[in-house]
Amino acid sequence: TAIGRRLDEFVSLPAGSTALTRALMEGRATLRAEGLLHREATDGGPASLPVRVNLTPVRVPDGSIRGAVCVLEDRSHLLALENEIRHLDTLAALGRFASGLAHEIRNPMGGILAGVEYLDQSGEFSGETREHLTVIQGEVRRVDSILTDLLQVARPRELVATPVDPAALGRSVLDGFGPLAELVGVNLELRAPDPGETIYADEQMIRQVLVNLVKNAIEASPAAATVELHVIAAQPADASSARTGFVVSDRGPGIAAEDLPRIFEPFFTRKGQGTGLGLYVSHGFVERHGGRLRVENRPG
């Protein structure tokens, strides 16, 4: 509780810990500032919230100050939107850069692959040399696959919306990961409404998003843990405006706080063999549907 405590004990301002007290003592007409409200995070939420402080002294007829009215405005939602807008601007700039870079790299790589294939088909090489040629061809094709992913986001194909059963789509995605989940000892669980609900979406794009998310969740999970795919479908009178949410959750270690702002950037990955394009591509697909892709950690 705040009763009986100094206001500057739980509200911090850039001007210093006594800024609120000094504003009252000096009789300022108003104090408007950005700060942090420190609270007991018993609900698992953040221990500090960004707030806007509006403080106005209450004066009596003789001009003396008898108190103050202080309004704290929670700005966490607004700051989150501002950060998301900046992040989207960054992704757009990176996308334009990646598109140009992909074109510049693809041309010489095509020439390299054609030359290696010519040497391979000439029949002049065998044994270890031929094995090296095969490795080169495989690596060139891998680079070409990465460039294809980049171009797919920078200049994606036309979105084709068709009726999709989100529950059936979720089940299909999990069924495809059955062998991998069994191999690593992870349980897969689907929570979804009864089949038959319909939304309009590009099934191929949304399937790729879910495949990327479920694969990441399985890889992050310890043995015997459960990966959940939760389908939240809202069916309005007009099916073309239906809004559906897909939530993929795991019991892994979570994502480091310093990595959270970067996980949708192209080529950012903590995996030894990853390209860092899965979440970047997924983010673009979800945006094209008018949706949002976001991530959060929960304590425990």
Side-chain angles (χ1 to χ4, degrees), residues 66 98 148 152 188 261:
R66 289 297 179 88
T148 299
Q152 191 175 25
L188 300 178

Side-chain angles (χ1 to χ4, degrees), residues 179-186 218 221-224:
L180 175 61
E182 184 177 355
L183 178 65
V184 298
V186 171
I218 293 174
S221 296

Side-chain angles (χ1 to χ4, degrees), residues 66-240:
R66 289 297 179 88
V69 174
C70 183
V71 178
L72 303 179
E73 177 188 352
D74 184 357
R75 287 177 50 81
S76 55
H77 180 64
L78 181 60
L79 289 179
L81 290 177
E82 291 174 352
N83 290 334
E84 185 171 352
I85 290 173
R86 283 194 294 269
H87 187 55
L88 292 177
D89 289 342
T90 300
L91 288 179
L94 287 171
R96 292 191 294 270
F97 171 75
S99 177
L101 186 64
H103 281 293
E104 292 299 320
I105 295 177
R106 205 167 204 178
N107 290 334
M109 291 301 293
I112 294 172
L113 181 59
V116 172
E117 289 179 341
Y118 172 79
L119 292 174
D120 187 33
Q121 295 170 5
S122 67
E124 299 180 9
F125 304 98
S126 61
E128 186 176 345
T129 301
R130 191 177 185 87
E131 290 180 6
H132 289 325
L133 291 176
T134 302
V135 171
I136 293 173
Q137 291 179 61
E139 290 302 303
V140 170
R141 291 193 176 95
R142 179 170 174 268
V143 171
D144 186 70
S145 176
I146 294 173
L147 297 178
T148 299
D149 286 343
L150 279 176
L151 291 173
Q152 191 175 25
V153 177
R155 295 193 311 175
R157 66 171 177 79
E158 182 180 356
L159 188 149
V160 180
T162 59
V164 177
D165 183 333
L169 177 59
R171 170 54 61 194
S172 174
V173 169
L174 291 189
D175 287 346
F177 280 105
L180 175 61
E182 184 177 355
L183 178 65
V184 298
V186 171
N187 302 309
L188 300 178
E189 181 178 322
L190 176 69
R191 290 196 293 156
D194 294 333
E197 298 282 356
T198 300
I199 61 170
Y200 279 81
D202 189 307
E203 182 173 356
Q204 183 178 342
M205 287 188 181
I206 299 302
R207 179 183 295 274
Q208 185 171 342
V209 172
L210 295 178
V211 165
N212 284 334
L213 298 182
V214 172
K215 181 174 182 289
N216 286 347
I218 293 174
E219 293 174 347
S221 296
T226 298
V227 170
E228 288 185 8
L229 173 55
H230 187 190
V231 182
I232 308 169
Q235 182 68 54
D238 180 8
S240 65

Side-chain angles (χ1 to χ4, degrees), residues 17-75:
S17 61
T18 61
L20 292 169
T21 304
R22 285 189 283 108
L24 288 172
M25 297 299 294
E26 295 169 6
R28 295 182 187 176
T30 57
L31 170 67
R32 294 188 179 90
E34 307 291 333
L36 288 175
L37 172 66
H38 306 293
R39 67 191 188 99
E40 295 181 4
T42 57
D43 57 355
S48 297
L49 292 176
V51 294
R52 174 174 289 159
V53 181
N54 294 282
L55 184 143
T56 301
V58 176
R59 299 179 182 274
V60 293
D62 63 5
S64 61
I65 299 175
R66 289 297 179 88
V69 174
C70 183
V71 178
L72 303 179
E73 177 188 352
D74 184 357
R75 287 177 50 81

